[in-house]
Amino acid sequence: MLSSTVEDYVKRLFFEQAAAGEGQMVPMGKLAAAMSVTPGTATSMGKTLADLGLAEYEPRMGVRLSPEGEKLALKMLRRHRLIERLLVDILGLDWSEVHEEAEQLEHVISDKVLDRIDALLGHPTSDPHGDPIPTAKGHMAQPAATSLAECAVEMPLRIARVVDQDPLFLQFAHRHGLTPGAIVTVTQRDDIAAAVTLLREAQPELFTLGTHAAAKIMVEPA
Amino acid sequence: MLSSTVEDYVKRLFFEQAAAGEGQMVPMGKLAAAMSVTPGTATSMGKTLADLGLAEYEPRMGVRLSPEGEKLALKMLRRHRLIERLLVDILGLDWSEVHEEAEQLEHVISDKVLDRIDALLGHPTSDPHGDPIPTAKGHMAQPAATSLAECAVEMPLRIARVVDQDPLFLQFAHRHGLTPGAIVTVTQRDDIAAAVTLLREAQPELFTLGTHAAAKIMVEPA
DNA sequence: TGAGATATTTTGACTAATCAAAATGATAGT
DNA sequence: ACTATCATTTTGATTAGTCAAAATATCTCA
């Protein structure tokens, strides 16, 4: 049985590794910062992960998930995202508050219960924020990679994911109809003003938001 | 924030205290046995509970929950039992397997999520085994106290609760229609044979079970 | 009242996860 | 090639929860 601390490190490492790209080693400092822990703690945990066969650790180089570790990370992601869907679709919680809840629940839900949740929800492929849910076998669809800050203009697009867990941002996005599934068209992008103006299918008025916010809203061809 | 270990001790203490009756102190040995822990561990935890204001601890006498502690215990019971209902009614798990699951989940479900579960289930008053669910305010109905091993004969009775968490026993009970809500009539009780014979509303044949098993099935007037 | 049995408490040790701070290694820039 | 800087690792300490085993208190019964 793995501790939930170990599970958290593995999950975080997965994200850091994805950000670093292509099986790069993640430096201990990065991992420490991501886990809000001192560097020494990250080092000792790096060794622990290696002992558990979940990662490779090279002194002064960093850590990298092993195939085992990646499998675990994907399993955690599946749990997390299915739980978020349950909380929103069945229990009616707001999408802005489910991340924190799921963060706790993902460590104690059994495989059996998870399967039931999956079935009850009709085997969903994405969570409330649009993030893809890995399959039970550990396969995850490639998520949309273009944001409103860089997409083509004058072309109808579907919002695929909103990549920010901050409740305030999520509430803002919801208030303005910028949730997964919504269709929008960027009418103008002004690099000097660092702003993006767009037309939302449901509303007649134009809406402008800064590129920093726009970069968090991922789209795909409608 | 209280650790889940503390929550577990408080819950267990609540049961031990109920078994001892009337605000009696629970000896450390009892608590240790109930928690499957050495006596020394129970002693040190007793002091910890006292420090947290959850119990009174008197050396060589035992521990007893404080009003605070009782409130917490009832809260844990509410969580546990509502979660069991969710697992059975919404997720379709078997009543024999939900106890273990709930044992984990009860420590990480937030109050908000619990309220949603309560509402979704329509504010149920008992869990799948028939145990009463305390209200949010901490009030719990008095559970049925007469078992098939001691009830009146030749009188139709409703099964109110089945007091055993062992999956094997629960599966047995279910297989023979001895679940909360079922109507049965004891036709005969044989003290020498240590057996109880009963007629189940749904089935024509008589059914006999030993008093040890019968004592786990609590009934109330139909 | 004293001896033995039994329950409880104490003590010392262990593990996982953490921090602070000291030690060490690597890097880059003159 | 030397040194200043920065990242990493080590070391020693802490906390919660646990055990084993030794010490102590209480109870019972003769």
Side-chain angles (χ1 to χ4, degrees):
Chain A
M1 230 338 47
L2 299 170
S3 71
S4 51
T5 305
V6 165
E7 291 182 340
D8 279 338
Y9 274 88
V10 166
K11 203 178 58 167
R12 215 45 92 76
L13 195 43
F14 182 84
F15 287 126
E16 291 303 314
Q17 215 167 294
E22 266 320 290
Q24 294 297 304
M25 295 217 112
V26 174
M28 303 319 284
K30 270 269 171 55
L31 183 56
M35 291 297 296
S36 307
V37 120
T38 60
T41 303
T43 294
S44 97
M45 199 59 187
K47 292 176 185 171
T48 302
L49 294 180
D51 289 348
L52 292 169
L54 296 169
E56 294 145 47
Y57 165 69
E58 297 219 34
R60 312 260 161 200
M61 298 304 297
V63 269
R64 174 173 41 214
L65 288 177
S66 67
E68 280 287 277
E70 269 189 50
K71 236 176 74 185
L72 177 59
L74 286 163
K75 184 170 170 178
M76 296 312 296
L77 244 46
R78 176 173 166 79
R79 285 162 174 252
H80 183 97
R81 293 175 179 173
L82 275 174
I83 291 166
E84 284 194 348
R85 269 248 95 95
L86 177 81
L87 294 176
V88 170
D89 293 3
I90 307 295
L91 293 176
L93 269 81
D94 195 279
W95 79 327
S96 70
E97 56 191 358
V98 295
H99 179 72
E100 293 308 313
E101 302 278 357
E103 206 67 17
Q104 302 298 313
L105 287 164
E106 64 187 3
H107 301 297
V108 301
I109 293 272
S110 72
D111 287 350
K112 184 169 234 163
V113 171
L114 200 75
D115 282 352
R116 296 308 180 109
I117 292 173
D118 187 37
L120 176 66
L121 295 170
H123 310 286
T125 57
S126 66
D127 79 3
H129 311 100
D131 296 311
I133 297 174
T135 64
K137 290 199 177 353
H139 180 267
M140 182 169 66
Q142 196 57 42
T146 318
S147 80
L148 282 184
E150 64 207 8
C151 64
V153 297
E154 297 297 355
M155 178 186 284
L157 300 161
R158 172 180 298 108
I159 293 180
R161 2 173 357 222
V162 178
V163 291
D164 189 338
Q165 306 289 4
D166 177 10
L168 285 178
F169 184 77
L170 293 174
Q171 280 158 17
F172 162 86
H174 181 256
R175 208 161 46 238
H176 295 104
L178 302 175
T179 50
I183 306 293
V184 299
T185 307
V186 171
T187 59
Q188 187 186 13
R189 185 177 293 121
D190 184 335
D191 288 344
I192 313 283
V196 177
T197 301
L198 44 91
L199 186 64
R200 295 157 297 181
E201 199 187 43
Q203 277 116 321
E205 337 80 69
L206 291 171
F207 184 67
T208 302
L209 76 170
T211 46
H212 190 65
K216 297 175 185 168
I217 302 185
M218 315 304 288
V219 292
E220 59 193 9
Chain B
M1 227 344 41
L2 300 169
S3 71
S4 52
T5 306
V6 165
E7 290 180 341
D8 279 338
Y9 273 88
V10 166
K11 202 177 60 168
R12 215 47 92 79
L13 195 43
F14 182 85
F15 288 125
E16 291 304 314
Q17 215 168 294
E22 266 320 289
Q24 293 296 304
M25 294 217 115
V26 174
M28 302 322 283
K30 270 269 171 55
L31 183 57
M35 292 297 297
S36 307
V37 120
T38 61
T41 302
T43 294
S44 96
M45 198 59 188
K47 292 176 186 171
T48 302
L49 293 180
D51 289 348
L52 291 170
L54 296 169
E56 294 145 48
Y57 166 68
E58 298 218 33
R60 313 257 160 203
M61 298 303 299
V63 270
R64 174 172 42 212
L65 288 177
S66 67
E68 280 288 276
E70 270 191 48
K71 237 176 71 184
L72 177 59
L74 287 163
K75 184 171 170 177
M76 295 313 296
L77 245 47
R78 176 173 166 79
R79 288 163 171 251
H80 183 98
R81 292 174 180 173
L82 275 174
I83 290 166
E84 284 194 348
R85 269 249 95 94
L86 176 81
L87 294 176
V88 170
D89 293 2
I90 307 294
L91 293 176
L93 270 80
D94 195 279
W95 79 326
S96 71
E97 56 192 357
V98 295
H99 178 72
E100 294 308 315
E101 302 278 357
E103 206 67 19
Q104 302 299 314
L105 286 164
E106 64 187 2
H107 302 296
V108 300
I109 292 274
S110 73
D111 287 350
K112 183 169 234 162
V113 170
L114 200 76
D115 282 352
R116 296 308 180 108
I117 292 173
D118 186 37
L120 176 66
L121 295 169
H123 310 286
T125 58
S126 66
D127 79 3
H129 313 98
D131 296 310
I133 296 174
T135 64
K137 292 198 175 355
H139 180 266
M140 183 168 68
Q142 196 57 43
T146 317
S147 79
L148 282 182
E150 66 208 8
C151 64
V153 297
E154 297 297 355
M155 176 185 287
L157 300 161
R158 171 179 299 108
I159 293 180
R161 8 180 342 230
V162 177
V163 291
D164 189 338
Q165 306 290 5
D166 178 10
L168 284 177
F169 185 76
L170 293 174
Q171 280 158 17
F172 163 86
H174 182 256
R175 208 161 46 239
H176 295 103
L178 302 174
T179 51
I183 306 292
V184 300
T185 305
V186 171
T187 59
Q188 187 185 12
R189 184 177 293 120
D190 185 334
D191 287 344
I192 312 286
V196 177
T197 301
L198 44 91
L199 185 63
R200 295 157 297 180
E201 197 187 42
Q203 278 116 321
E205 336 81 71
L206 290 172
F207 184 67
T208 302
L209 76 171
T211 47
H212 190 64
K216 297 175 185 170
I217 301 185
M218 314 305 287
V219 292
E220 59 193 9

Short mmCIF file of all heavy atoms in Angstrom, two decimals, chain A residues 43 47 57 60, chain D residues 7-10:
data_model
loop_
_atom_site.label_atom_id
_atom_site.label_comp_id
_atom_site.label_asym_id
_atom_site.label_seq_id
_atom_site.Cartn_x
_atom_site.Cartn_y
_atom_site.Cartn_z
N THR A 43 14.56 15.66 -2.01
CA THR A 43 15.65 14.71 -2.26
C THR A 43 15.36 13.37 -1.59
O THR A 43 15.43 12.32 -2.23
CB THR A 43 16.98 15.27 -1.72
OG1 THR A 43 17.34 16.42 -2.48
CG2 THR A 43 18.07 14.24 -1.83
N LYS A 47 14.54 9.58 -3.42
CA LYS A 47 15.14 8.28 -3.16
C LYS A 47 14.08 7.24 -2.81
O LYS A 47 14.14 6.09 -3.22
CB LYS A 47 16.15 8.39 -2.02
CG LYS A 47 17.37 9.20 -2.39
CD LYS A 47 18.27 9.35 -1.18
CE LYS A 47 19.44 10.27 -1.49
NZ LYS A 47 20.20 10.59 -0.27
N TYR A 57 16.13 7.95 -9.83
CA TYR A 57 16.71 9.13 -9.19
C TYR A 57 18.19 9.15 -9.47
O TYR A 57 18.88 8.17 -9.20
CB TYR A 57 16.45 9.09 -7.69
CG TYR A 57 17.30 10.06 -6.90
CD1 TYR A 57 17.09 11.44 -7.02
CD2 TYR A 57 18.29 9.61 -6.04
CE1 TYR A 57 17.87 12.33 -6.31
CE2 TYR A 57 19.08 10.49 -5.32
CZ TYR A 57 18.87 11.86 -5.47
OH TYR A 57 19.64 12.74 -4.77
N ARG A 60 22.02 14.85 -8.14
CA ARG A 60 22.38 16.11 -8.83
C ARG A 60 21.75 16.24 -10.21
O ARG A 60 21.96 17.22 -10.90
CB ARG A 60 23.90 16.25 -8.97
CG ARG A 60 24.67 15.98 -7.69
CD ARG A 60 25.09 17.24 -7.00
NE ARG A 60 25.41 16.96 -5.61
CZ ARG A 60 25.43 17.89 -4.68
NH1 ARG A 60 25.15 19.14 -5.00
NH2 ARG A 60 25.69 17.58 -3.44
P DA D 7 19.22 28.18 -7.67
OP1 DA D 7 18.10 28.31 -8.61
OP2 DA D 7 19.11 28.62 -6.26
"O5'" DA D 7 19.66 26.64 -7.65
"C5'" DA D 7 20.19 26.07 -8.82
"C4'" DA D 7 20.57 24.63 -8.52
"O4'" DA D 7 21.69 24.62 -7.61
"C3'" DA D 7 19.44 23.84 -7.86
"O3'" DA D 7 19.39 22.57 -8.50
"C2'" DA D 7 19.86 23.77 -6.39
"C1'" DA D 7 21.39 23.83 -6.47
N9 DA D 7 22.04 24.48 -5.33
C8 DA D 7 21.73 25.68 -4.77
N7 DA D 7 22.51 26.02 -3.76
C5 DA D 7 23.40 24.95 -3.66
C6 DA D 7 24.47 24.69 -2.78
N6 DA D 7 24.86 25.53 -1.82
N1 DA D 7 25.14 23.54 -2.94
C2 DA D 7 24.77 22.70 -3.92
N3 DA D 7 23.78 22.83 -4.81
C4 DA D 7 23.12 23.99 -4.62
P DT D 8 18.40 21.42 -8.12
OP1 DT D 8 18.23 20.55 -9.30
OP2 DT D 8 17.24 22.01 -7.42
"O5'" DT D 8 19.25 20.61 -7.05
"C5'" DT D 8 20.46 19.97 -7.48
"C4'" DT D 8 21.11 19.32 -6.29
"O4'" DT D 8 21.49 20.33 -5.33
"C3'" DT D 8 20.22 18.35 -5.51
"O3'" DT D 8 20.79 17.07 -5.74
"C2'" DT D 8 20.29 18.81 -4.06
"C1'" DT D 8 21.51 19.73 -4.06
N1 DT D 8 21.54 20.86 -3.08
C2 DT D 8 22.53 20.89 -2.14
O2 DT D 8 23.39 20.03 -2.03
N3 DT D 8 22.51 21.98 -1.31
C4 DT D 8 21.60 23.02 -1.33
O4 DT D 8 21.69 23.96 -0.54
C5 DT D 8 20.57 22.93 -2.34
C7 DT D 8 19.54 24.00 -2.45
C6 DT D 8 20.58 21.86 -3.16
P DT D 9 20.15 15.75 -5.07
OP1 DT D 9 20.55 14.62 -5.91
OP2 DT D 9 18.73 15.96 -4.71
"O5'" DT D 9 21.00 15.67 -3.70
"C5'" DT D 9 22.42 15.51 -3.80
"C4'" DT D 9 23.00 15.53 -2.40
"O4'" DT D 9 22.76 16.82 -1.79
"C3'" DT D 9 22.41 14.50 -1.45
"O3'" DT D 9 23.51 13.75 -0.95
"C2'" DT D 9 21.71 15.32 -0.37
"C1'" DT D 9 22.48 16.62 -0.43
N1 DT D 9 21.76 17.86 0.03
C2 DT D 9 22.32 18.62 1.02
O2 DT D 9 23.35 18.33 1.59
N3 DT D 9 21.61 19.76 1.34
C4 DT D 9 20.43 20.19 0.77
O4 DT D 9 19.90 21.23 1.14
C5 DT D 9 19.90 19.35 -0.26
C7 DT D 9 18.63 19.72 -0.94
C6 DT D 9 20.58 18.23 -0.58
P DT D 10 23.24 12.42 -0.03
OP1 DT D 10 24.11 11.37 -0.57
OP2 DT D 10 21.79 12.17 0.15
"O5'" DT D 10 23.82 12.86 1.40
"C5'" DT D 10 24.47 14.08 1.49
"C4'" DT D 10 24.84 14.42 2.92
"O4'" DT D 10 24.18 15.69 3.23
"C3'" DT D 10 24.44 13.47 4.03
"O3'" DT D 10 25.53 13.40 4.95
"C2'" DT D 10 23.18 14.10 4.63
"C1'" DT D 10 23.40 15.58 4.38
N1 DT D 10 22.16 16.37 4.11
C2 DT D 10 21.96 17.57 4.76
O2 DT D 10 22.73 18.03 5.57
N3 DT D 10 20.81 18.22 4.41
C4 DT D 10 19.87 17.81 3.51
O4 DT D 10 18.87 18.51 3.28
C5 DT D 10 20.12 16.55 2.86
C7 DT D 10 19.14 16.00 1.87
C6 DT D 10 21.24 15.88 3.19
#
